[in-house]
Amino acid sequence: MTVLLTGAAGFIGYHTAVALLARGETVIGVDNLNDYYDPALKAARLQRLEGSAGFSFRRLDIADRDAVAALVDDLPEIDRVIHLAAQAGVRYSLVNPYAYIRSNIEGHVVLLEACRRLPRLEHFVYASSSSVYGANRKLPFSVDDRVDTPVSLYGATKKAMEEISFSYANVYGTPLTGLRFFTVYGPWGRPDMAAYIFTSKILNGEPIPVFNYGDMRRDFTFIDDIVAGLLAALDRPPATGHNGLPPHAVYNLGNHRSELLTDFIAILEQAIGRKAEVELLPMQIGDVKETFADIDASRRDLGFSPKTAISEGVPRFVAWYRDYHRV
Ligand SMILES: NC(=O)c1ccc[n+]([C@@H]2O[C@H](COP(=O)([O-])OP(=O)(O)OC[C@H]3O[C@@H](n4cnc5c(N)ncnc54)[C@H](O)[C@@H]3O)[C@@H](O)[C@H]2O)c1
């Protein structure tokens, strides 16, 4: 199987590449290695992949039509696509909205347009987000719930990706699956996310910013569980629905445990061996107070079964952080 993997130098992309290579797949990694966060971390992930037989890398921007068309023309053997490249982050969408339009919307369409011409394409899996649930109040968040209230532009672009995908499944019959990831953390994680920011600040003796005065809950999902769900989805392209709906499916990938942010911090403190100095701050615009994934459909259709509690995953993140930064 030959997999085109976008965002291969990113957090989830890197781990996905490792898992695909371990099961003997050929992986064509794509990334533009942008500087939204330290490109040295992306380069370090990539360096670990580049030695592997079966892995090749192309540096390109997924919104660059000519570059993507040329890539796909060059590689007609691609039979699966995992599309993870995106402008991520809720808070940055208030700072640089156009990056979200370009990478998440334009980039997604450019990729779909190119890939629908692949002669052997069996399945195109793409990253959506729990952010699509926005201001929804009903918990846990279910894929059967309406998602019409994104509270950030990031969430709105992920919702748009789902709708655009549905239309491609309808018009071209391309089997597509969108995965709504819930707060992913683990080794090689993202420097703009809580686990990384808190660890860095606690180790530097700096106060950690805690929004909504700590009254937040997140469904923290360990990276290995996400990758297991992603590969399970990849191997199960949706069929055209029995009621004639196009071959498009959406699943939640979350841990199905909504943890208090303060409990997450306590486990982090224990793993680091230091107390955090906490700076309590109001809720940030664009953020949501609570996330909690209903994973009934993912269990039923994908056999998804997350295994990692934060008491196990957080120390694994801290161990990686100390090793990577030599602190
Ligand atoms: N990490 C999470 O908690 C989380 C939660 C929900 C959804 N997601 C989604 O999962 C996917 C992967 O997230 P991640 O945490 O690995 O983020 P990441 O930022 O580490 O990875 C994304 C990668 O895509 C690349 N990229 C961005 N724009 C690009 C473009 N225009 N062309 C080519 N490459 C580009 C970046 O350089 C980066 O390496 C994203 O689509 C993200 O929105 C992540």
Side-chain angles (χ1 to χ4, degrees), residues 12-326:
I12 301 173
Y14 161 72
H15 287 279
T16 303
V18 170
L20 288 167
L21 293 166
R23 64 178 219 184
E25 318 294 2
T26 300
V27 178
I28 295 132
V30 160
D31 203 295
N32 68 354
L33 303 175
N34 68 49
D35 64 359
Y36 165 60
Y37 61 78
D38 187 4
L41 178 58
K42 297 180 182 179
R45 295 183 188 123
L46 202 52
Q47 201 186 9
R48 291 165 67 92
L49 297 174
E50 279 182 323
S52 314
F55 183 80
S56 60
F57 179 71
R58 311 269 184 118
R59 182 173 184 171
L60 60 82
D61 191 315
I62 53 155
D64 179 337
R65 288 183 214 174
D66 294 340
V68 172
L71 172 86
V72 166
D73 284 350
D74 201 23
L75 295 161
E77 66 270 30
I78 292 169
D79 45 22
R80 311 257 176 114
V81 177
I82 302 178
H83 171 37
L84 303 177
Q87 179 56 58
V90 167
R91 289 166 196 164
Y92 186 63
S93 65
L94 279 67
V95 177
N96 187 0
Y98 298 110
Y100 291 75
I101 304 303
R102 179 171 169 84
S103 291
N104 302 5
I105 298 187
E106 198 174 347
H108 189 52
V109 173
V110 168
L111 210 61
L112 285 168
E113 267 303 306
C115 291
R116 73 180 177 81
R117 297 195 171 83
L118 282 165
R120 292 169 49 174
L121 185 67
E122 292 167 4
H123 196 189
F124 184 120
V125 176
Y126 64 95
S128 183
S129 167
S130 60
S131 300
V132 300
Y133 291 106
N136 282 19
R137 295 257 171 112
K138 179 184 148 285
L139 290 159
F141 296 148
S142 161
V143 287
D144 295 325
D145 298 338
R146 293 189 66 139
V147 283
D148 299 327
T149 54
V151 293
S152 68
L153 179 64
Y154 171 64
T157 62
K158 288 290 172 180
K159 172 74 190 310
M161 284 175 70
E162 292 184 359
E163 292 177 345
I164 290 165
S165 301
F166 186 93
S167 76
Y168 269 77
N170 179 55
V171 175
Y172 302 107
T174 313
L176 281 139
T177 298
L179 299 174
R180 295 175 178 168
F181 300 142
F182 282 68
T183 316
V184 190
Y185 74 100
W188 298 95
R190 264 177 34 213
D192 62 327
M193 293 187 68
Y196 201 116
I197 294 172
F198 290 172
T199 303
S200 157
K201 289 193 183 293
I202 293 171
L203 284 167
N204 286 328
E206 295 168 22
I208 61 170
V210 174
F211 296 103
N212 205 31
Y213 308 101
D215 184 16
M216 301 254 262
R217 282 177 176 269
R218 283 290 177 276
D219 199 335
F220 290 101
T221 315
F222 193 65
I223 183 66
D224 294 2
D225 291 322
I226 289 289
V227 171
L230 211 163
L231 295 198
L234 182 70
D235 293 339
R236 292 165 178 79
T240 299
H242 60 278
N243 48 4
L245 285 173
H248 179 256
V250 169
Y251 294 103
N252 285 338
L253 292 187
N255 201 36
H256 190 53
R257 295 186 214 194
S258 191
E259 315 275 4
L260 274 171
L261 183 59
T262 44
D263 289 345
F264 183 80
I265 294 169
I267 293 172
L268 204 51
E269 289 175 325
Q270 208 176 15
I272 295 171
R274 277 191 213 172
K275 274 295 209 200
E277 193 188 321
V278 172
E279 186 182 3
L280 295 174
L281 296 167
M283 188 75 169
Q284 285 204 315
I285 298 171
D287 231 341
V288 298
K289 193 175 156 206
E290 182 164 357
T291 66
F292 184 13
D294 176 328
I295 55 171
D296 286 354
S298 327
R299 276 192 213 281
R300 183 193 64 220
D301 297 351
L302 310 177
F304 178 62
S305 167
K307 296 185 171 38
T308 320
I310 53 173
S311 56
E312 183 192 339
V314 166
R316 284 169 68 182
F317 169 75
V318 171
W320 167 79
Y321 183 98
R322 284 186 176 278
D323 182 54
Y324 179 72
H325 290 284
R326 298 176 202 282

